[in-house]
Amino acid sequence: METTASSLPKATLAETITIATQVFGPLFAEGVIIRRPAVLKLADKLDLNRRGVDRIQELRNKYGDGPLLLPLPGRPQAVILKPEHVKRVLDETPEPFAAVTAEKHAALVHFQPRGVLISHGAARARRREFNEQVLGSDKPVHGLAARFVAVVAEEADGLLAELAGSQVLTWERFAPVWFRVVRRVVLGDGAREDEALTEQVNQLREAANWAFLHPRRKALREQFHQRLSEYLDRAEPGSLAAVIGATPTDEDIAPTDQVAHWLFAFDPAGMTTFRALALLAAHPEEAEKARAEFRKSEGTARQYLPYIRACILESLRLWPTTPVVLRETTAETQWANGLMPAHTSVVIFSGYFHRDERRLPQANQFFPELWEADRPGENWPLIPFSSGPGVCPARHLVLLVTSTMLGALISGHQVELDPPSLLDPREPLPGTLSHFSLRFRLSR
Ligand code: HEM
């Protein structure tokens, strides 16, 4: 192990190759911006993401607190190993730990070149404020919650009616309904049937998956943004577009870039809902609790369903949709173990913190109680939505929409996984769960 007064501990070349191939490789291959079904299937089979957790545990055993530098060519990379360091990096965003990194920029520039996540300085501050205002970042229940709950209920009823014959629910049947909800919530009912818009953002995301390795599809990006501005001009009541219409904006805030991010980020929210359904299908007792909560909550009570929100958070803890949170240092930083140079890429592998059974005894089980009474974050970082000044500004909105959908799907039905053995509650839950492959049988 190499440590000096002025430099952080450094991993060996062999360890670095292992991390690159067993931690970052699978995540990149699965698709960072849009998931690739075939690779996810393979990752499921080989439990690749579990291996990633094991490798980081080994580094923590050997190097202790870190941060640990990886001698990769190009920019230095540092892996965070200690909970207090996670907190520091996320709390001290965007200075000296900038949210924008070369990797994120190369990917997101394909469809949201002025998105807040890849902005810095004054532009970032203004775009962040805009996102917080429109998405209701500080409120557990969004100002338009009544409308959003009604939209989800309507679409879920439609889906359940459609399934009445076969009673088999697959991702292929769920996804179009989910994206209808998303378009109605974000842009209004007028966008309900606009599947072409979702297709456009998905095509741009496919290019984004390859980051700088894929040429930019500028014409498609312009068409997509043009279509978004038409919806924003309409500002249909009861949608986020209407809230944008009532929020001061200008060219520099770039509202269509922010909305492009929202349409993209609602996709992982759909996956999360589907995986949470799988968890409930495999855990009948918890499913009954969730069902009871949904049934007894009427009117405004349905806008805040703590137990079902906890089930969604468990789905995110077990299978985080942002498995790696990246930052880039804007200046040299001092740590107990040494100095980290400026322009280092800082890597927080949330999968490791969420699934380290040595620190979190229930790490590999479904345990919604973990989210009760603000327990997480006290001692051990559970960061599905990140944390600090760069925390996901839509976390409450996401929990609202996903919990309503999950509640609606289970309230009138028993749900079984097909095959039921896919998730065995007596075994540690798998490191990957491809939402594409999930199949459910519903019965009244
Ligand atoms: C399951 C659903 C979601 C999860 C788990 C999630 C998680 C996250 C995480 C971990 C970050 C920090 C990323 C980073 O620092 O690199 C983030 C940022 C962000 N999220 Fe979400 N998100 C979700 C859905 C959404 C949705 C639906 C929206 C919008 C409607 C949204 C808006 C944003 C924005 C604007 C940022 C950038 C914040 C900033 O840089 O200050 N997210 N999200």
Side-chain angles (χ1 to χ4, degrees), residues 104 117 124 128 131 261-262 265 269 321 327 384-385 392-394 398:
K104 277 189 243 179
L117 191 49
R124 173 180 169 81
R128 173 79 203 182
N131 272 278
H261 184 95
W262 305 349
T321 55
R327 295 288 182 260
F385 288 108
C392 176
V398 167

Side-chain angles (χ1 to χ4, degrees), residues 99 104 116-117 124 128 131 135 240 261-262 265-266 268-269 272 316 321-322 324-327 383-386 389-394 397-398:
K104 277 189 243 179
V116 59
L117 191 49
R124 173 180 169 81
R128 173 79 203 182
N131 272 278
L135 300 171
L240 295 178
H261 184 95
W262 305 349
F266 260 119
T272 301
L316 278 170
T321 55
T322 313
V324 172
V325 180
L326 296 176
R327 295 288 182 260
I383 48 161
F385 288 108
S386 180
V391 67
C392 176
L397 174 64
V398 167

Side-chain angles (χ1 to χ4, degrees), residues 385-425:
F385 288 108
S386 180
S387 180
V391 67
C392 176
R395 62 203 178 285
H396 300 305
L397 174 64
V398 167
L399 291 175
L400 171 77
V401 177
T402 53
S403 61
T404 313
M405 178 58 90
L406 185 60
L409 292 178
I410 55 157
S411 70
H413 291 83
Q414 296 291 332
V415 182
E416 240 185 50
L417 267 168
D418 180 19
S421 58
L422 192 71
L423 287 184
D424 182 345

Side-chain angles (χ1 to χ4, degrees), residues 72-134:
L72 282 162
R75 235 162 351 116
Q77 311 262 339
V79 179
I80 297 294
L81 298 173
K82 188 181 177 187
E84 289 77 0
H85 293 173
V86 174
K87 188 166 164 29
R88 171 175 178 193
V89 169
L90 297 180
D91 282 353
E92 295 176 25
T93 293
E95 293 286 357
F97 303 104
V100 53
T101 67
E103 299 80 4
K104 277 189 243 179
H105 190 272
L108 297 180
V109 74
H110 283 274
F111 64 105
Q112 43 156 308
R114 293 178 293 172
V116 59
L117 191 49
I118 53 170
S119 306
H120 198 68
R124 173 180 169 81
R126 299 193 65 222
R127 292 170 188 163
R128 173 79 203 182
E129 194 186 343
F130 169 83
N131 272 278
E132 288 185 358
Q133 281 177 9
V134 180

